[in-house]
Amino acid sequence: MNAEMLGEMHLLNSSEEHMNIITKQNKFEELSDIKYEVHIGNSYIVDYQTIMILKFIGVYGLGSSGNSDATFMCAIGKAALEAWDPSGLIIDLSDLSYQWGDLLERVFDIGNDKYIDAPFPLALIVGNSSEEAVRTLLLGIDSKKTIKEIGWVFKDLKDAWTYIENKM
């Protein structure tokens, strides 16, 4: 590794000898090629409340190769909630290609620790390239239930927004 990739820090320990600590700078974007967008809108029903749409765009890795994608998505989601403090969240996967990988389910827990005494309103939007895989992830591979029967998973923004409004 060259000096540009590594950071080197010189510290004095208790015996006043020099110690080299080698570090590597990390960025969230190095975890995944997935892109994201954050959109905020005002609630039509509850004054002074906002709803966040967190949209993920790209290709989620197949199986365990998607683990770093899930980690990235969770980190971005938690940071976005902290930064903008919405009253509800819509995770939009309509432009994400997802076939299989269990860790995606962790993304659906974003915000679950936001309120102590009530569940945080969360909805999910799926698209043609994610719907069936999300359905089997949530319901099981042998389930005959549809996405609509899950209750909080939708195919369009309007239905997801209405769901969040009603939960707030």
Side-chain angles (χ1 to χ4, degrees):
M1 298 190 144
N2 62 33
E4 291 176 6
M5 293 177 65
L6 297 176
E8 196 171 302
M9 299 172 61
H10 298 283
L11 301 175
L12 292 177
N13 64 15
S14 59
S15 63
E16 297 193 18
E17 296 175 10
H18 286 285
M19 178 178 11
N20 291 332
I21 297 176
I22 299 172
T23 64
K24 176 186 177 287
Q25 181 180 6
N26 291 318
K27 297 179 181 181
F28 288 122
E29 292 78 9
E30 294 170 351
L31 289 171
S32 176
D33 290 331
I34 291 176
K35 304 299 179 212
Y36 68 94
E37 297 175 358
V38 177
H39 301 264
I40 308 285
N42 292 321
S43 169
Y44 294 105
I45 296 174
V46 184
D47 286 340
Y48 307 107
Q49 301 294 311
T50 60
I51 298 172
M52 175 185 289
I53 302 164
L54 179 56
K55 182 173 186 148
F56 292 106
I57 303 155
V59 178
Y60 186 96
L62 188 61
S64 63
S65 66
N67 290 357
S68 62
D69 294 327
T71 299
F72 171 78
M73 294 165 76
C74 287
I76 293 301
K78 289 175 184 177
L81 287 184
E82 184 68 26
W84 289 285
D85 195 28
S87 302
L89 173 64
I90 298 169
I91 298 173
D92 184 350
L93 305 182
S94 62
D95 289 330
L96 183 78
S97 176
Y98 166 73
Q99 295 178 17
W100 178 65
D102 291 346
L103 285 191
L104 181 67
E105 203 164 13
R106 289 179 33 202
V107 175
F108 309 152
D109 289 333
I110 295 172
N112 68 349
D113 58 351
K114 187 164 169 59
Y115 300 140
I116 295 171
D117 57 348
F120 180 67
L122 179 120
L124 181 68
I125 299 174
V126 293
N128 293 336
S129 297
S130 61
E131 179 180 351
E132 181 57 17
V134 168
R135 185 190 73 78
T136 60
L137 176 65
L138 295 174
L139 297 172
I141 195 134
D142 297 324
S143 176
K144 304 294 182 212
K145 289 185 177 181
T146 66
I147 278 288
K148 191 172 186 174
E149 293 175 83
I150 295 171
W152 55 276
V153 181
F154 305 93
K155 294 182 184 180
D156 65 67
L157 178 59
K158 183 180 176 191
D159 289 342
W161 191 276
T162 300
Y163 173 83
I164 295 295
E165 290 272 18
N166 290 330
K167 289 294 180 182
M168 291 187 341

